[in-house]
RNA sequence: AGAGAGCUGGCAGAGUGGUCGAUUGCGGCAGUCUUGAAAACUGUUGACUGUUACAGGUCCGGGGGUUCGAAUCCCUCGCUCUCUACCA
């Protein structure tokens, strides 16, 4: 959520930023926010004054009662009636104004960082780096959805039987390589200074609001209605919400957390080759890194996170590229996002495997996540990224490393897997 | 799941209708003393909102109610603890 104070002080820059994100009606929305805020403050002042009068009279009555002047007290009591009615009215309109303001405010996306390239579509994202060579596959090479059947390591039909589409069953070496990837990613994160977290994978409404899944993206989460809990779409939600409504000491920063969780997404996408196999699932595994930083350090932290993700891809010997997303393709909440894409040899296209973002104060404003310095509290910056999500990494490993003799496991994973080939 | 007891400032813990946003202790910060430190002593120390600054307003688990006035009474939801039951 954007800060009203910032909008007020930088009206033109706010509108310009909204435009760069291709947000429609930015100017009108900003003006509406300012109008509602002014009205809200006027009402607040009037309410405060009314309450102040009521409080003064109540004290007076208290004094008179103590002094035993009952009749005088009754006279003053009569005066409070109109004040009470008035403050009720004002309270009502204040509530309405506040929720109106909130409703407009939450529709506004975060403003893009100055380095964000102009553009609206994925094609306009800026490729800032390419690493590794795209492999030439042998003649019998096939996409991963054929490989998993050939080697019987992932069974979609079985998942379909016990849960539904998009819930794969990993078997044998398929299950073992999953576990190997999880441990590898977690170990790498710990070595990079992150603290391992095992959060709940069900969250309450407050947490959903905190990171912005609620109120309007609730259709994308599985909902346990009996207890009004939601299955997490990413570990970002519980791990970031650990710091909801918190005031941190400067000495506690930076905070670097990493957590492995299964992730659940209801709207896994439409049919077609782009969502076949492991490309898009209802349930998948992911290691997420989450950081809380002082504002002046957050962009250095973002670069560090990007390098961390890249080091994982390098160790897995996967050819990848890094994109700086353009304004129109960035997520709603992000100020700057890098996407890492891995080359999927048999599909012949780039697959997004990670997205690291700096949200600046957009999340912390709603979370009320602050730091205290010299008696003043200021909002902190939050960042997160996948490091990494398993399905597409697995797909790329399978496709890029396939040979006539089987699939070769990347060296770095062999100690974790306990085997060198799937064949 | 049943019965009971609770939920107050960073922590502990008073406060059962009237200057209570809240006694006190610990912790934190500043100072005095000291070569320095400790001890002792003195002062200070919640959040949000708001004003140029003051003032003012809101917050005692969340929400609602009674009252001129609520931390205190009532309703409701949530959570914690103890006992019983159940269970990986």
């Amino acid at each position: 959520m954007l800060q009203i104070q910032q909008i007020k002080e930088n009206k033109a820059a706010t509108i310009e930023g909204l435009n760069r994100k291709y947000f429609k009606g930015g100017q009108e929305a900003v003006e509406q926010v300012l109008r509602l805020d002014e009205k809200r403050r006027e009402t607040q002042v009037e309410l405060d004054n009314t309450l102040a009068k009521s409080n003064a009279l109540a004290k007076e009555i208290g004094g008179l009662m103590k002094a035993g002047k009952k009749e005088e007290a009754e006279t003053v009591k009569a005066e409070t009636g109109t004040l009470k009615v008035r403050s009720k009215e004002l309270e009502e309109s204040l509530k309405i104004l506040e929720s109106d303001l909130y409703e407009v405010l939450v529709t506004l996306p975060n403003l893009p960082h100055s380095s964000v390239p102009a553009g609206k579509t994925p094609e306009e994202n800026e490729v800032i780096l390419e690493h590794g060579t795209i492999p030439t596959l042998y003649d019998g090479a096939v996409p991963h959805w054929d490989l998993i059947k050939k080697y019987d390591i992932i069974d979609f039909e079985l998942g379909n039987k016990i849960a539904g589409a998009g819930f794969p069953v990993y078997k044998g070496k398929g299950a073992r390589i999953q576990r190997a990837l999880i441990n590898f990613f977690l170990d790498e994160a710990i070595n990079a200074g992150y603290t391992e977290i095992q959060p709940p994978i069900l969250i309450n409404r407050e947490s959903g609001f905190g990171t912005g899944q609620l109120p309007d993206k609730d259709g994308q989460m599985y909902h346990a209605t009996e207890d009004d809990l939601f299955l997490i779409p990413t570990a970002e939600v519980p791990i970031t919400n650990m710091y909801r409504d918190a005031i941190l000491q400067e000495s506690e920063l930076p905070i670097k957390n990493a957590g492995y969780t299964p992730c659940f997404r209801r709207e896994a996408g439409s049919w077609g080759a782009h969502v076949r196999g492991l490309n898009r699932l209802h349930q998948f595994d992911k290691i997420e890194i989450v950081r809380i930083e002082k504002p002046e350090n957050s962009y250095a932290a973002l670069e560090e996170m990007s390098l961390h993700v890249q080091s994982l891809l390098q160790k897995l010997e996967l050819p990848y590229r890094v994109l700086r997303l353009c304004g129109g393709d960035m997520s709603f909440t992000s100020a700057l996002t890098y996407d890492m894409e891995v080359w999927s040899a048999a599909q012949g296209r780039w697959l997004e495997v990670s997205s690291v973002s700096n949200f600046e104060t957009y999340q912390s404003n709603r979370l009320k996540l602050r730091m205290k310095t010299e008696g003043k509290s200021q909002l902190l910056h939050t960042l997160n990224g996948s490091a990494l999500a398993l399905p597409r990494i697995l797909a790329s490993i399978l496709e890029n490393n396939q040979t006539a003799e089987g699939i070769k496991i990347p060296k770095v994973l062999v100690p974790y897997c306990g085997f060198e080939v799937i064949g």
Side-chain angles (χ1 to χ4, degrees), chain A residues 121-373:
Chain A
T121 64
E123 288 71 41
E124 294 169 89
N125 292 333
E126 181 189 343
V127 179
I128 56 175
L129 185 149
E130 273 195 50
H131 184 274
T133 44
I134 289 169
T136 353
L137 300 183
Y138 80 113
D139 283 348
V142 290
H144 70 269
W145 49 83
D146 292 328
L147 291 169
I148 61 173
K149 273 197 182 150
K150 181 175 171 190
Y151 297 111
D152 193 26
I153 52 174
I154 302 175
D155 196 326
F156 281 97
E157 282 73 29
L158 214 46
N160 212 354
K161 175 183 176 184
I162 57 181
F167 292 95
V169 174
Y170 302 85
K171 300 195 290 188
K173 285 184 175 175
R176 288 168 69 187
I177 195 169
Q178 287 280 107
R179 189 153 53 85
L181 283 167
I182 292 165
N183 286 332
F184 168 64
F185 290 146
L186 279 175
D187 284 350
E188 290 291 313
I190 290 163
N191 289 338
Y194 291 86
T195 304
E196 184 177 347
I197 303 287
Q198 267 197 34
I201 59 174
L202 284 157
I203 51 134
N204 58 26
R205 278 189 181 272
E206 290 74 34
S207 298
F209 277 103
T211 31
Q213 279 71 29
L214 296 172
D216 31 60
K217 286 178 218 146
D218 57 334
Q220 291 173 28
M221 290 189 288
Y222 288 94
H223 187 195
T225 51
E226 188 78 13
D227 297 294
D228 201 24
L229 297 171
F230 297 86
L231 280 160
I232 57 169
T234 159
E236 171 200 337
V237 178
I239 293 178
T240 308
N241 271 283
M242 299 196 306
Y243 304 94
R244 169 153 46 86
D245 226 342
I247 299 175
L248 302 178
Q249 299 298 321
E250 193 167 357
S251 59
E252 295 177 75
L253 296 164
I255 285 169
K256 299 169 69 175
N257 286 333
Y260 153 70
T261 65
C263 302
F264 302 88
R265 307 217 173 149
R266 283 189 69 219
E267 290 168 12
S270 51
W271 292 78
H274 279 199
V275 298
R276 262 188 98 173
L278 294 169
N279 287 351
R280 210 167 271 194
L281 301 168
H282 284 307
Q283 178 181 336
F284 64 97
D285 296 291
K286 180 159 66 72
I287 284 76
E288 182 80 3
I289 51 178
V290 176
R291 297 178 63 146
I292 298 169
E293 297 277 346
K294 289 198 260 183
E296 62 268 31
N297 293 340
S298 70
Y299 280 96
L302 182 67
E303 294 306 316
E304 200 186 297
M305 289 166 79
S306 162
L307 290 176
H308 174 70
V309 172
Q310 289 183 50
S311 77
L312 299 176
L313 298 172
Q314 286 166 17
K315 286 178 184 170
L316 291 172
E317 302 162 55
L318 294 170
Y320 68 88
R321 62 178 191 177
V322 180
L323 307 179
R324 187 186 281 134
L325 296 194
C326 68
D329 198 36
M330 255 199 298
S331 83
F332 191 75
T333 49
S334 175
L336 179 59
T337 296
Y338 293 122
D339 268 12
M340 284 69 180
E341 296 185 334
V342 160
W343 181 254
S344 162
Q347 296 180 68
R349 65 190 189 101
W350 295 99
L351 292 179
E352 182 196 330
V353 291
S354 178
S355 189
V356 298
S357 304
N358 187 352
F359 304 103
E360 299 191 357
T361 59
Y362 194 85
Q363 280 187 329
S364 61
N365 188 30
R366 202 193 287 210
L367 287 165
K368 297 204 183 79
L369 166 55
R370 294 151 294 178
M371 172 185 74
K372 197 145 202 183
T373 22

